[in-house]
Amino acid sequence: QVHLVESGGGSVQSGGSLRLSCAASGYTYRTYCLAWFRQGPGKEREGVAGISSYGTTKYADSVNGRFTISRDKVNNTLYLQMDSLKPEDTAMYYCAARTPPCIGTLLQPDRYDDWGQGTQVTVSS
């Protein structure tokens, strides 16, 4: 059973930065597709950034150039560096994992089997 735990959320002002972490246990997910999703109040869950086992990344247009996804295969940890945060980035952020293939579906939430409990990010103007 995969267990994912997010951390690093918080409250920041517009223009600030946060770094989210997602620690995995229960399996070694070096071969897995990994991604960050978010869900704001009254909104559907949307893909933010994803990374394949080979290191291929994909970003939502709304965060491209501001967010960076990375993975530490040794420590089974996924990261999301968020810079130049905006109020519209306010949401609950979730990490997710699934088995390959990853290409073409990295940001599709219905393709993911394992989810963390989420960490709240709040950006004030």
Side-chain angles (χ1 to χ4, degrees), residues 29-34 51-56 71 73 100 102:
Y29 68 11
R30 63 171 64 93
T31 62
Y32 276 57
C33 317
L34 304 172
I51 186 167
S52 74
S53 58
Y54 297 102
T56 302
R71 63 192 297 171
K73 292 185 177 181
C102 311

Side-chain angles (χ1 to χ4, degrees), residues 33-125:
C33 317
L34 304 172
W36 289 95
F37 294 84
R38 68 186 181 187
Q39 188 166 15
K43 298 182 180 180
E44 294 185 353
R45 189 168 297 190
E46 64 171 345
V48 175
I51 186 167
S52 74
S53 58
Y54 297 102
T56 302
T57 58
K58 183 173 177 63
Y59 296 91
D61 290 342
S62 59
V63 307
N64 198 20
R66 300 188 296 121
F67 290 10
T68 304
I69 189 171
S70 61
R71 63 192 297 171
D72 181 340
K73 292 185 177 181
V74 173
N75 295 306
N76 272 1
T77 303
L78 178 70
Y79 300 100
L80 184 67
Q81 177 66 41
M82 305 186 296
D83 298 316
S84 302
L85 283 162
K86 305 175 180 180
E88 50 263 44
D89 295 318
T90 295
M92 185 71 79
Y93 283 71
Y94 302 88
C95 65
R98 69 167 220 264
T99 55
C102 311
I103 300 302
T105 58
L106 271 174
L107 299 187
Q108 296 180 12
D110 59 332
R111 296 297 190 102
Y112 285 79
D113 304 311
D114 302 299
W115 294 82
Q117 83 291 346
T119 186
Q120 178 67 38
V121 172
T122 302
V123 185
S124 58
S125 58

Side-chain angles (χ1 to χ4, degrees), residues 3-7 21-25 36 95 115-118:
H3 187 55
L4 302 172
V5 179
E6 302 96 335
S7 61
S21 299
C22 175
S25 61
W36 289 95
C95 65
W115 294 82
Q117 83 291 346

